[in-house]
Amino acid sequence: MRPPVLDSLFAPVSTLPGVGPKIAKLLTDFLASQPDREATIADLLFHIPHTVIDRRHRPGIAYSENGDIVTLDVTIDRHMPGPRGGRAPYRITAFDDTGSITFVFFHSRRDWLEKTFPEGERRIVSGKVEWFNERPQMVHPDYSLAPDEADAMPQVEPVYPMTAGLSPKTLQKAMAAALDKLPELPEWLNDAHLRQNQWPSFKEALTALHRPEERLDISPESLFFQRLAYDELLASQLALSLVRSKMRQLGGISRKPSGSLQRRVVGVLPFSLTRSQASAVEDINADLAEPTRMLRLLQGDVGSGKTVVALAALAQVIETGAQGALMAPTEILARQHFASMSPICEKVGIRLALLTGKDTAKERRITQEKLDAGEIDLVVGTHALFQGKVTFKDLALVVVDEQHRFGVHQRLALSAKGQGVDVLVMTATPIPRTLVLTCFGDMDVSRLTDKPAGRKPITTVSVSLDRLDEIIGRIGAAIADGQKVYWVCPLVEESEKIDLAAVEDRHRVLEQELRQRVSLVHGRMSADEKDAAMQDFKSGQTRVLVATTVIEVGVDVPDATIIVIEHAERFGLAQLHQLRGRVGRGDKASSCVLLYKGPLGETAGARLNIMRQTNDGFLIAEEDLKLRGGGEILGTRQSGTPGFRIARAEEHADLMEVARDDARLILETDPELSTERGSALRTLLYLFGRDEAIRLLRAG
Ligand code: ADP
Ligand code: MG
């Protein structure tokens, strides 16, 4: 149960004065931490300002620079309404010792203007100055106050990332009301740590970010920001450590087979393992031999050959007579893993099965019976594998492909299906070390750093959509030359219908222009339809595959050499890199065409540039963090570190290390979080939405 002290923070935003259903909906779409639930007051308070306006800046009219936000102490001179019925704005002139300025208004009520800017009186006016024909003006000043009311204007005003339809004033009002509900919470950090860092309490810190007194107060290095970032990191590390220690408690099994099956698997491959593949396999063999559970992350760029490593690992437990499972994030990928593993498994005598959500009840029953009887050694599937009903005779190793799509609890659910189940997580996202910690917690890591031999680099170009015809012409030539082409169109949920129409349209145009059949794959098709389309493309029946981003992860057609990414400006860097990794898998030179619709925004331009400059996944991941961390993409929750609302992977990496040690120490001394501090830490876990971990405590 949630600690009652948090009740006021977990109340829906619509309970705040001034927040009606319309604003509540906007805030929910923008900020809610859980889908299907109205944004809470905590969600609102965790939305922190990204910059401030310093209204103490009072240079005087003549010394105000174009574009600056300034506060002026002026005497109101004259009102000049525009001609009746005309479109000209309403103007008011004013002056100070240094010069004069015009305030400009469109569609404002005259009686309000006369009351707010009374002729001949002194007013404190604040807003943005613009110079126009060498004269200063201010369009719709933010404040105009009598000198004795000037206190009502904040000296330093927080500015928040915004969403369409929400006005800054509305958000500020809601925020002020939310701050009134912020209770004093029990302290979950230890005294020494607080004193050493001179950190304020949680309440003080959060209040200070929303009511900054200095620009520096809201910078990621400020004591306030650091304290909150640390709280969030500690919550996350504590949750991950709880999961981990729970898994350890469940105990592992030492598996030390002779390695003959693994050697046979490697032996039937048409290539030899790269050095890093071989060393990853060694890491895994050593883990499996330990009596504790394996929790290892296998990190390798797209095309680095993770699947083979997984299969080698699986062979090791299968040799002992136990079973393995490989879980893929999508139907297509599960089928593809199944297809590529089948011939190898057949040769070495591993009994392989496929299990997905699309299986008929009968197919599923048969698979289930065989799993229980131990007649299947290895099952490949989608999240259908998690489902409570699937059982195993003796599940020993679970391999999870592309972990970032699965949550910690899902991983746990699967590994609870056997005794001492070992877990290998594979990700193609080349997450920097700091993020591995934040997303995966205390896992061991193996990295595939060298590409399989013979790979040719991929040439990347960016081209405006205006040149579509030219690109189609070149694609035609490439096909005539025997090449295969992916053509990717974006699909975003909000505009799914429009995007789907665009994909179908593109498919039609390509068939017309290229005068041949083109395959099409998108999320609305059935598994069979998708399969058939992929199969046509793989076998060469068709030479072009138009797809939404369902091909993003892991799809393997080694002889595809060109990928066209339409509306590349709408994709993030990591996604672009993943997509590009679909080509360059064979021994032929490949290319990637980033088709963009101009004009390009600054961030989108930077992304495309990076893509053209490098193929290095780790470098791209770092640039990605920088671009997103910079908060350029205002108004989206994309900015910042994924999974975190306050902490930033870049700026708070050092705090992360401390939080990890702290979490470890806490669980060593208070494994059930039953002390007074332990109970405060439970509050912390709830506060940052990591309460899933608390349920583990009770279960144990
Ligand atoms: P990813 O890491 O993206 O999952 P895959 O496991 O799909 O990569 O491997 C990509 C391709 O590279 C596959 O066609 C696979 O057979 C091939 N491959 C894997 N390891 C090697 C190797 N050591 N030498 C040559 N080709 C390899
Ligand atoms: Mg893969």
Side-chain angles (χ1 to χ4, degrees):
M1 266 234 311
R2 187 173 64 217
V5 66
L6 292 178
D7 285 352
S8 62
L9 286 178
F10 278 75
V13 283
S14 57
T15 59
L16 291 171
V19 177
K22 209 175 123 219
I23 293 167
K25 167 103 178 39
L26 279 171
L27 290 173
T28 298
D29 292 345
F30 187 37
L31 300 174
S33 53
Q34 282 182 20
D36 332 319
R37 192 182 74 178
E38 186 177 320
T40 62
I41 292 177
D43 289 336
L44 185 59
L45 288 173
F46 284 141
H47 186 57
I48 55 179
H50 62 113
T51 182
V52 298
I53 297 171
D54 191 342
R55 302 219 181 257
R56 295 170 304 185
H57 184 44
R58 293 174 172 232
I61 293 174
Y63 303 104
S64 297
E65 307 245 359
N66 184 34
D68 272 6
I69 292 177
V70 300
T71 298
L72 303 171
D73 185 342
V74 296
T75 304
I76 306 299
D77 190 13
R78 243 160 34 90
H79 280 235
M80 296 177 290
R84 221 170 251 283
R87 282 171 184 270
Y90 192 110
R91 292 166 193 277
I92 300 171
T93 55
F95 59 86
D96 68 6
D97 297 344
T98 69
S100 66
I101 187 165
T102 308
F103 303 133
V104 181
F105 300 87
F106 298 89
H107 314 294
S108 294
R109 282 185 23 230
R110 183 165 184 167
D111 53 346
W112 178 80
L113 288 169
E114 279 169 351
K115 201 173 86 216
T116 316
F117 298 87
E119 275 181 0
E121 288 189 28
R122 228 183 105 204
R123 279 294 176 272
I124 308 298
V125 179
S126 187
K128 188 190 208 171
V129 174
E130 285 160 309
W131 286 79
F132 204 66
N133 288 335
E134 287 169 43
R135 289 161 187 275
Q137 62 174 41
M138 190 182 282
V139 179
H140 290 257
D142 302 329
Y143 292 92
S144 169
L145 298 164
D148 59 345
E149 297 167 341
D151 286 350
M153 180 176 81
Q155 301 283 296
V156 177
E157 189 175 313
V159 180
Y160 296 92
M162 294 301 291
T163 183
L166 193 65
S167 81
K169 282 244 158 83
T170 308
L171 183 59
Q172 274 169 7
K173 263 195 211 141
M175 206 59 93
L179 278 173
D180 287 342
K181 306 263 182 193
L182 178 60
E184 200 69 69
L185 296 175
E187 184 55 73
W188 44 75
L189 299 184
N190 75 35
D191 268 354
H193 193 184
L194 281 176
R195 251 181 291 120
Q196 186 192 345
N197 289 290
Q198 300 180 302
W199 282 346
S201 74
F202 174 81
K203 180 177 179 175
E204 262 176 89
L206 192 53
T207 307
L209 285 191
H210 291 294
R211 296 197 177 123
E213 288 175 7
E214 294 295 336
R215 181 174 295 276
L216 280 178
D217 289 351
I218 64 153
S219 93
E221 298 97 65
S222 81
L223 295 179
F224 310 115
F225 206 129
Q226 297 250 323
R227 152 91 215 217
L228 295 175
Y230 188 79
D231 287 339
E232 187 174 33
L233 293 168
L234 181 62
S236 127
Q237 287 304 303
L238 200 54
L240 289 164
S241 301
L242 277 168
V243 171
R244 187 179 170 85
S245 72
K246 187 78 199 171
M247 292 190 69
R248 291 254 186 251
Q249 273 172 34
L250 293 174
I253 294 174
S254 160
R255 300 179 200 274
K256 280 192 254 187
S258 72
S260 62
L261 186 60
Q262 185 175 72
R263 278 192 296 276
R264 266 159 56 215
V265 165
V266 174
V268 302
L269 297 174
F271 44 75
S272 51
L273 297 184
T274 63
R275 188 178 304 186
S276 52
Q277 278 172 325
S279 94
V281 171
E282 269 169 40
D283 289 344
I284 292 165
N285 289 349
D287 286 352
L288 294 174
E290 289 288 319
T292 48
R293 289 185 163 216
M294 170 169 84
L295 246 189
R296 181 168 289 276
L297 184 68
L298 177 63
Q299 226 185 355
D301 211 348
V302 274
S304 59
K306 294 182 292 296
T307 318
V308 173
V309 175
L311 195 54
L314 289 158
Q316 195 76 347
V317 301
I318 290 167
E319 189 192 329
T320 68
Q323 294 165 304
L326 185 138
M327 193 163 58
T330 65
E331 182 92 14
I332 288 194
L333 272 169
R335 285 171 190 279
Q336 187 181 299
H337 276 308
F338 179 74
S340 66
M341 288 179 166
S342 282
I344 302 171
C345 290
E346 210 158 290
K347 277 186 201 146
V348 303
I350 292 176
R351 294 164 297 175
L352 179 68
L354 179 68
L355 195 156
T356 78
K358 298 278 162 63
D359 295 349
T360 64
K362 189 173 164 219
E363 287 167 335
R364 188 168 255 237
R365 201 183 60 239
I366 294 173
T367 308
Q368 184 58 64
E369 279 168 12
K370 288 187 175 171
L371 280 173
D372 286 334
E375 288 163 13
I376 292 173
D377 301 313
L378 173 56
V379 59
V380 174
T382 55
H383 60 275
L385 279 175
F386 292 128
Q387 276 146 15
K389 278 183 252 151
V390 181
T391 51
F392 293 81
K393 178 166 181 242
D394 181 14
L395 180 63
L397 172 61
V398 172
V399 179
V400 184
D401 195 4
E402 312 297 346
Q403 157 81 20
H404 56 284
R405 306 222 173 171
F406 298 106
V408 165
H409 59 291
Q410 289 167 310
R411 182 165 88 203
L412 211 69
L414 232 187
S415 56
K417 287 185 182 293
Q419 274 222 321
V421 175
D422 291 303
V423 178
L424 176 68
V425 173
M426 306 196 289
T427 179
T429 317
I431 327 165
R433 177 74 200 159
T434 45
L435 262 192
V436 169
L437 275 174
T438 58
C439 299
F440 302 102
D442 213 353
M443 292 182 91
D444 302 308
V445 179
S446 299
R447 276 184 169 176
L448 301 185
T449 47
D450 43 6
K451 291 249 159 127
R455 292 280 160 81
K456 292 269 176 13
I458 307 166
T459 315
T460 302
V461 294
S462 58
V463 177
S464 162
L465 252 176
D466 300 338
R467 287 165 59 195
L468 180 66
D469 289 345
E470 184 188 328
I471 296 297
I472 295 181
R474 291 215 209 165
I475 297 289
I479 295 170
D481 185 40
Q483 303 194 46
K484 278 188 191 172
V485 183
Y486 286 113
W487 191 295
V488 181
C489 300
L491 186 69
V492 261
E493 270 163 47
E494 305 94 75
S495 53
E496 193 178 359
K497 271 202 191 117
I498 303 171
D499 285 336
L500 215 50
V503 175
E504 281 166 349
D505 202 42
R506 177 62 67 234
H507 176 247
R508 213 168 15 249
V509 168
L510 286 174
E511 280 199 329
Q512 251 164 34
E513 301 282 318
L514 298 170
R515 277 180 244 106
Q516 58 186 284
R517 199 158 72 78
V518 166
S519 292
L520 174 65
V521 174
H522 60 68
R524 283 288 173 87
M525 291 163 61
S526 72
D528 287 345
E529 288 170 323
K530 283 191 231 172
D531 258 3
M534 285 300 303
Q535 204 44 49
D536 283 349
F537 181 59
K538 225 175 159 160
S539 67
Q541 297 268 351
T542 54
R543 312 222 56 99
V544 181
L545 174 73
V546 175
T548 55
T549 45
V550 286
I551 65 155
E552 180 189 336
V553 202
V555 165
D556 193 23
V557 180
D559 59 344
T561 49
I562 299 176
I563 184 163
V564 180
I565 305 174
E566 191 165 335
H567 282 294
E569 78 282 357
R570 281 163 58 179
F571 292 93
L573 257 185
Q575 220 180 359
L576 287 172
H577 182 62
Q578 291 267 351
L579 285 168
R580 180 168 62 183
R582 298 307 109 219
V583 298
R585 301 187 146 221
D587 47 11
K588 293 217 196 68
S590 295
S591 45
C592 168
V593 181
L594 304 170
L595 259 188
Y596 64 85
K597 186 161 164 49
L600 283 178
E602 203 175 308
T603 316
R607 283 200 294 258
L608 300 193
N609 270 336
I610 293 162
M611 286 296 292
R612 282 192 289 130
Q613 283 157 11
T614 182
N615 272 307
D616 180 334
F618 283 94
L619 202 76
I620 288 175
E622 261 156 40
E623 292 296 327
D624 192 28
L625 259 187
K626 268 189 219 151
L627 283 179
R628 289 198 285 170
E632 262 105 317
I633 327 168
L634 297 187
T636 76
R637 298 198 60 206
Q638 296 255 307
S639 50
T641 299
F644 287 80
R645 310 209 258 187
I646 293 178
R648 313 224 179 127
E650 271 195 320
E651 281 106 336
H652 301 124
D654 49 337
L655 292 181
M656 165 63 72
E657 306 279 344
V658 183
R660 185 173 52 140
D661 294 343
D662 201 1
R664 215 182 260 164
L665 198 68
I666 289 167
L667 290 183
E668 266 166 32
T669 51
D670 184 13
E672 298 294 319
L673 298 183
S674 48
T675 62
E676 193 185 336
R677 185 180 179 206
S679 118
L681 284 162
R682 286 172 186 241
T683 305
L684 171 71
L685 288 169
Y686 272 105
L687 186 58
F688 283 99
R690 304 292 202 278
D691 40 306
E692 217 170 66
I694 296 176
R695 284 195 287 277
L696 287 177
L697 278 178
R698 210 171 308 115

